[in-house]
Amino acid sequence: ALLGPFLSMGAQAAVINYQVSNLGGDTWRYDYTVTNDGSATALVGLFDILFDTSSYEESSLSVVSSPALAAAWDERILGSGLLIPAAYDVATLSGGIGTGQSQDGFAVQFRWLGAGTPGPQPFQFYDPDTFGLLGSGTTTVVPLTTGLIRPMWSSVAFITSTQDTSLAWIARDSASASIVTISDAAMSY
């Protein structure tokens, strides 16, 4: 669906928020939530999130969205071309995201070639019937939170989860977890 220019200056049809998680080393994951703000279309049904191949290893781009999305959305990675970046291309199979509604669960895993933490990306929305560009924008970060209350050197934390005990997994997938801290006064040395 990359029919428009790379950084087109159209109206924004929706908002895409993301969280980024380090899975270890240079392997990362973006989790996206798409919200239809209603400015350009009644339904959001086709969009691309663009990946500059100088910062993202194109061969590592992989769709890792929640399985529940497969029934309603067709997701794929489109390869780059001359002056065209790689793209996470998402099209509705029926319906779409209505005005004022959001859909989460979209996710892409990748190898990061840049320095530091991966950041915002350009995106484009298209009419799913005509493939005409409806709008474009830049994704917006929503910071991850882990819920730790005090530094680990001044207390002991017991973390319980029904599936995993990795803090990165808990933060990334919002697992149910209980974090209990024991103050220094309650500990005997």
Side-chain angles (χ1 to χ4, degrees), residues 14 51 67 71 75 80 87 93 96 107 144-146 151 153 161 171 173 178 186 189:
F51 288 82
E75 303 169 273
S80 63
L93 297 174
L144 289 172
T145 58
T146 60
W153 63 84
S161 169
D173 292 335
S178 299
Y189 295 100

Side-chain angles (χ1 to χ4, degrees), residues 118-140:
Q121 302 164 270
F123 65 81
Q124 298 174 329
F125 283 90
Y126 299 90
D127 182 306
D129 297 319
T130 67
F131 301 106
L133 182 66
L134 297 174
S136 62
T138 302
T139 59
T140 305

Side-chain angles (χ1 to χ4, degrees), residues 165-184:
T165 58
S166 168
L167 270 180
W169 187 90
I170 292 168
R172 184 173 60 256
D173 292 335
S174 301
S176 174
S178 299
I179 299 177
V180 179
T181 60
I182 301 172
S183 71
D184 294 335

